[in-house]
Amino acid sequence: MIRKIIKIDGDKCNGCGLCAEACHEGAIGMVNGKAKLLHEHYCDGLGDCLPACPTDAISFEERDAPAYDEAAVKANMARAGKVFATEAPPKGGCPGSNNHSIKRVLAAPVPEAQAAGDMPSRLNQWPVQIKLAAANAPYFDGAKLLIAADCTAYAYAGFHDKFMKDRVTLIGCPKLDEGDYSDKLTAILKENTIKSVTVVRMEVPCCAGI
């Protein structure tokens, strides 16, 4: 059957093993110091391993592959003494790269908070770094997307209310980040229904890459 499944670029893989730890189904293993998709029928295509990879070596592809076999995954985890869960807690990699939606309850109405100098944050999700965001994170579907050069939040005082409010925020620095963002942003746009895209950048040449 044709379905979405992970793809591991062996040239980019540094052999850290974090993706194998993050894959709670046990689909990924280490072979000769490199991560490999060992059991295609264990891969559910949700990409828990993507944010764990520090070298951006994992992506999605659509190809002919065996169907996801939940029963086989449960049996394998039982043999390993692990507990199966449909929403397993994230494991491996930096804890700050785990996907989170943020729901805020304001202690005071926004005008009162502004008058008191306590501006509420408008951040609706985590992580915000383009390189760390998983393309299939649930908060992307139906989102208004903000793609911003990371310096803009420091340069524009009202950045949260002007740009971040009611949007999913992604930031990056095209001068300092290795590579570009085309693959990650293409995957986000392809795999989700994005309502709008707003781009914010500085008026300097190095920011054009955003």
Side-chain angles (χ1 to χ4, degrees):
M1 64 180 294
I2 303 297
R3 70 179 185 95
K4 184 171 70 173
I5 195 168
I6 66 160
K7 177 182 179 181
I8 302 174
D9 186 334
D11 292 334
K12 291 183 178 180
C13 176
N14 67 358
C16 67
L18 294 176
C19 59
E21 295 178 18
C23 178
H24 59 272
E25 291 93 353
I28 301 174
M30 304 302 294
V31 177
N32 297 325
K34 295 284 187 176
K36 299 289 184 183
L37 178 58
L38 299 179
H39 307 286
E40 293 183 346
H41 60 303
Y42 288 5
C43 179
D44 58 11
L46 296 179
D48 288 346
C49 53
L50 267 72
C53 179
T55 62
D56 205 24
I58 304 175
S59 59
F60 285 118
E61 63 177 345
E62 289 191 7
R63 61 173 176 82
D64 187 45
Y68 171 61
D69 190 339
E70 184 176 301
V73 171
K74 289 181 178 180
N76 179 61
M77 296 183 76
R79 288 192 295 270
K82 298 179 180 179
V83 178
F84 178 86
T86 55
E87 295 185 7
K91 297 185 295 182
C94 171
S97 67
N98 296 329
N99 297 318
H100 297 284
S101 294
I102 300 172
K103 304 297 182 184
R104 301 185 184 279
V105 178
L106 299 179
V110 171
E112 294 180 20
Q114 291 174 340
D118 185 16
M119 294 286 291
S121 172
R122 297 299 188 178
L123 185 63
N124 293 309
Q125 99 293 336
W126 192 265
V128 296
Q129 289 284 349
I130 298 174
K131 296 285 188 176
L132 294 179
N136 67 333
Y139 45 73
F140 281 127
D141 199 38
K144 297 177 181 178
L145 186 62
L146 169 66
I147 303 171
D150 52 11
C151 291
T152 55
Y154 296 94
Y156 192 93
F159 191 82
H160 277 241
D161 273 359
K162 176 72 173 182
F163 298 110
M164 290 174 58
K165 183 181 178 181
D166 300 324
R167 292 188 174 99
V168 168
T169 302
L170 290 177
I171 66 171
C173 176
K175 182 175 182 178
L176 299 180
D177 289 344
E178 293 184 5
D180 60 32
Y181 310 115
S182 57
D183 289 344
K184 176 61 67 68
L185 295 178
T186 296
I188 290 172
L189 294 172
K190 181 179 179 181
E191 297 176 27
N192 303 279
T193 302
I194 300 296
K195 292 182 178 179
S196 65
V197 178
T198 300
V199 178
V200 182
R201 49 158 289 194
M202 303 291 287
E203 292 182 342
V204 291
C206 60
C207 220
I210 202 72

